[in-house]
């Protein structure tokens, strides 16, 4: 037996990634699958249709025909409601969904009896690390952020000795030391900058120091559930602000990465702190898609706010589409390996990884938090 897996072409204007690359498609085929690509889906990420053909992946230009009889549909960004309505009942969708901002899509998935594995819901447990697409994409985004910041700076990152004297190394401050923040610190350090890292979770101190940075300790502990930071109280925010303002003023480049799942990005830098920064300094606000960590950030834009160049990227992994797609495809392979055996699709809904990742199944929204947002009632388990 074999199942049909459809690979969608991304339609968002800033999205160049593809959900499956040829090399990983060959591995998935061995699980008992026949893969079909929407024609041209990989070209923006440098994967040509010919490369897929050589990997025994066929192409289909008509999205309706592609998904109509597909058992599994793969995508990076949430597909359109129209695409979901073309899928057959009982099919499995694997993609990022961001359900709290996509209520109509979630309803379409529920009503169409689509089983949905939302990649952002992969549990943050050791057994699921190889499936954790948020982390794999954040690692590349974090790597890229200092490079993006450096092209907007009027100075170099490393110290340099010349015939007419030495140039000082730039000072880089990274705020938020999750996967992206630590990669940003590591990259900036490799490029020769003097690096500082800040996070409200004090256990990140050793991690920051391990990549060559000094940790900024504000005396506030905001450890939260699921590996994320909790929201700070007003009193804690004031204490953190007072401790951080001096470090912000000294920085040539700041990278902010703070996020709270399902909520607006926490504010880390206000207008007064921006005004106190050096002329020509740069802030790369990785929280831009969710409102920004910095006051004045405009998603998708580069703006001058007082002395600061404020960069608000919305999709950094897409800037490294080839390798971002490679990592994402491997995340999907490791997930499908749990549910696809010898051409038979059999999710085990007693498995905590599968249960945690499932958003909709058999006409129901199975994630309690999302169902409360969409329907206002407690979710039933899959």
């Amino acid at each position: 037996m074999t199942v049909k897996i459809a690979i969608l072409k991304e339609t968002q204007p800033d999205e160049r990634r593809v959900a499956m690359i040829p090399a990983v498609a060959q591995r998935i085929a061995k699980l008992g699958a026949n893969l079909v690509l929407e024609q041209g889906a990989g070209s923006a990420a440098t994967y040509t249709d010919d490369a897929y053909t050589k990997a025994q992946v066929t192409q289909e230009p008509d999205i309706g025909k592609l998904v109509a009889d597909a058992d599994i549909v793969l995508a990076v960004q949430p597909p359109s409601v129209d695409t979901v309505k073309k899928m057959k009942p009982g099919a499995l969708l694997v993609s990022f969904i961001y359900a709290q901002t996509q209520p109509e899509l979630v309803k379409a998935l529920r009503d169409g009896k689509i089983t949905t594995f939302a990649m952002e819901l992969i549990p943050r447990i050791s057994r699921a690390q190889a499936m954790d697409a948020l982390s794999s994409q954040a690692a590349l985004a974090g790597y890229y952020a200092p490079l993006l910041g450096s092209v907007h700076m009027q100075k170099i990152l490393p110290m340099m000795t010349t015939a007419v004297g030495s140039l000082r190394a730039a000072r880089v401050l990274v705020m938020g030391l999750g996967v992206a923040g630590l990669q940003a610190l590591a990259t900036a350090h490799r490029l020769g900058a003097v690096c500082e890292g800040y996070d409200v979770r004090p256990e990140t101190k050793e991690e920051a120091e391990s990549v060559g940075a000094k940790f900024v300790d504000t005396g506030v502990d905001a450890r939260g559930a699921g590996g994320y930071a909790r929201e700070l109280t007003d009193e804690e925010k004031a204490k953190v602000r007072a401790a951080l303002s001096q470090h912000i003023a000294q920085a040539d480049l700041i990278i902010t990465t703070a996020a709270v799942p399902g909520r607006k990005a926490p504010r880390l830098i206000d207008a007064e702190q921006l005004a106190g920064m050096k002329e020509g300094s740069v802030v790369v606000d990785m929280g831009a898609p969710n409102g920004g960590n910095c006051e004045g950030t405009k998603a998708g834009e580069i703006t001058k706010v007082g002395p600061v160049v404020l960069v608000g990227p919305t999709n950094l992994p897409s800037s490294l589409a080839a390798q971002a797609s490679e990592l994402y495809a491997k995340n999907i392979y490791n997930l499908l390996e749990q549910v696809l055996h010898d051409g038979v699709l059999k999710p085990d809904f007693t498995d905590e990884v599968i249960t945690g990742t499932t958003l909709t199944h058999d006409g129901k929204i199975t994630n309690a938090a999302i169902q409360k947002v969409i329907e206002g009632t407690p979710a039933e388990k899959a």
Side-chain angles (χ1 to χ4, degrees):
M1 295 180 65
T2 59
V3 300
K4 177 183 175 181
I5 299 180
I7 307 162
L8 298 185
K9 182 177 182 178
E10 301 300 316
T11 58
Q12 292 191 13
D14 65 341
E15 186 54 78
R16 298 192 296 166
R17 290 172 290 178
V18 63
M20 186 52 52
I21 69 168
V24 181
Q26 291 177 309
R27 295 168 62 188
I28 290 182
K30 293 177 182 178
L31 300 176
N34 174 37
L35 288 88
V36 185
L37 176 83
E38 186 176 357
Q39 200 168 57
S43 59
T46 73
Y47 299 104
T48 65
D49 285 348
D50 285 345
Y52 285 99
T53 299
K54 290 175 182 176
Q56 307 302 309
V57 177
T58 56
Q59 282 101 50
E60 170 58 62
D62 187 316
I63 190 170
K65 293 179 181 178
L66 176 73
V67 303
D69 62 345
D71 301 291
I72 303 173
V73 175
L74 307 180
V76 179
Q77 298 289 352
S80 68
V81 170
D82 185 56
T83 297
V84 167
K85 288 181 177 179
K86 293 173 181 175
M87 294 171 62
K88 67 180 184 181
L92 170 65
L93 171 66
V94 183
S95 77
F96 286 112
I97 298 295
Y98 312 115
Q100 290 175 314
T101 61
Q102 300 280 346
E104 295 308 312
L105 174 60
V106 175
K107 290 174 184 177
L109 291 165
R110 175 198 64 193
D111 297 344
K113 294 191 174 182
I114 306 299
T115 297
T116 309
F117 287 173
M119 294 301 284
E120 73 274 13
L121 296 180
I122 295 282
R124 289 201 150 182
I125 58 176
S126 57
R127 188 164 67 84
Q129 283 182 346
M131 312 168 209
D132 187 354
L134 280 179
S135 291
S136 72
Q137 302 305 291
L140 289 177
Y143 161 82
Y144 193 69
L147 305 182
L148 178 62
S150 70
V151 302
H152 294 286
M153 294 171 64
Q154 300 296 316
K155 55 175 65 177
I156 61 174
L157 289 174
M159 181 183 76
M160 182 181 290
T161 301
T162 75
V164 291
S166 297
L167 298 172
R168 290 184 179 181
R171 300 183 67 93
V172 175
L173 171 63
V174 177
M175 304 176 74
L177 301 180
V179 173
L182 289 171
Q183 283 293 338
L185 274 181
T187 300
H189 177 69
R190 287 194 293 264
L191 292 172
V194 174
C195 298
E196 292 184 316
Y198 160 72
D199 197 288
V200 290
R201 300 164 297 163
E203 72 269 22
T204 58
K205 179 177 186 291
E206 290 185 7
E207 294 175 314
E209 292 172 345
S210 73
V211 294
K214 180 181 177 182
F215 184 74
V216 179
D217 189 353
T218 63
V220 172
D221 184 345
R223 281 173 282 196
Y228 293 96
R230 63 172 174 81
E231 283 197 284
L232 301 180
T233 66
D234 288 342
E235 185 179 345
E236 287 172 329
K237 288 177 181 176
K239 185 176 181 180
V240 167
R241 185 188 185 283
L244 280 175
S245 290
Q246 181 180 353
H247 296 271
I248 290 170
Q250 292 173 343
D252 299 296
L253 169 63
I254 297 178
I255 297 163
T256 65
T257 73
V260 178
R263 299 187 184 181
K264 186 177 178 181
R267 180 60 47 81
L268 300 181
I269 304 175
D270 60 34
E272 185 179 346
Q273 290 170 315
L274 279 179
M277 293 181 69
K278 292 182 282 189
E279 186 66 41
S281 53
V282 175
V283 175
V284 177
D285 189 343
M286 293 178 65
N290 295 315
N293 299 137
C294 187
E295 188 171 352
T297 293
K298 294 182 180 179
E301 296 185 24
I302 300 166
T303 54
K304 188 78 159 50
V305 180
V308 181
V309 176
L310 193 49
V311 184
T314 55
N315 190 349
L316 287 178
S318 181
S319 299
L320 301 168
Q323 289 183 313
S325 299
E326 177 184 348
L327 294 182
Y328 185 69
K330 289 177 178 177
N331 293 142
I332 286 180
Y333 170 78
N334 289 319
L335 179 58
L336 291 182
E337 202 177 24
Q338 309 300 309
V339 300
L340 182 58
H341 307 281
D342 298 322
V344 178
L345 182 60
K346 245 185 178 179
D348 177 5
F349 291 108
T350 66
D351 184 297
E352 64 178 323
V353 174
I354 302 305
T355 301
T357 306
T358 303
L359 174 65
T360 63
H361 176 65
D362 195 25
K364 301 180 182 71
I365 301 172
T366 57
N367 179 283
I370 300 306
Q371 187 176 43
K372 187 175 181 181
V373 171
I374 305 294
E375 299 177 343
T377 55
E380 295 180 28
K381 290 184 180 179

